[in-house]
Amino acid sequence: ELACPTGLVFNPATGKCDWPRFYQCPGVEQDDSDLIPAGECRDDMSTFCKDKPRDTLWANACLKDCSGYISCGDGYTYEMACQPGLVFNPATGKCDWPRFYQCPGVEQDDS
């Protein structure tokens, strides 16, 4: 019997421990109660990437000034900050100058 690390399940197709999103164990009901939709902010964002593709970047809905983003890596959530003066541009997936991306809810400074 193979014991997988916490958070992983045995995938008989690959013969290895895998993320539950890649193999649903028969007879085990999937618990999606902690899934966080894109665009939603919660006090605990640690499960945001549970159902998101690996190596993807997302706007952090908790940051109304667009000063950071969320990076998803193998189901893990990493809250990242842009360099000072930059905002996360979801169209490009990069931190950008505010003149190239108008953050919703933030007044543009035309000075």
Side-chain angles (χ1 to χ4, degrees):
E1 184 175 299
L2 177 65
C4 292
T6 303
L8 300 180
V9 297
F10 182 73
N11 185 337
T14 62
K16 298 178 181 177
C17 293
D18 210 340
W19 298 103
R21 68 178 176 271
F22 297 127
Y23 180 73
Q24 177 63 45
C25 293
V28 177
E29 190 174 321
Q30 189 166 356
D31 180 12
D32 292 338
S33 63
D34 59 351
L35 296 184
I36 303 172
E40 185 175 310
C41 176
R42 293 192 187 167
D43 289 338
D44 180 4
M45 294 292 284
S46 63
T47 62
F48 179 84
C49 293
K50 182 177 175 182
D51 65 333
K52 309 293 188 291
R54 67 183 303 187
D55 300 328
T56 55
L57 303 178
W58 301 81
N60 188 338
C62 297
L63 300 175
K64 300 302 180 196
D65 62 355
C66 302
S67 62
Y69 57 96
I70 294 175
S71 175
C72 294
D74 286 327
Y76 290 100
T77 301
Y78 303 96
E79 294 188 59
M80 311 296 288
C82 291
Q83 293 291 325
L86 300 181
V87 295
F88 181 70
N89 182 337
T92 62
K94 299 177 181 176
C95 294
D96 211 341
W97 295 105
R99 68 178 173 266
F100 297 122
Y101 178 70
Q102 176 60 45
C103 182
V106 174
E107 285 195 30
Q108 190 168 0
D109 182 10
D110 292 326
S111 58

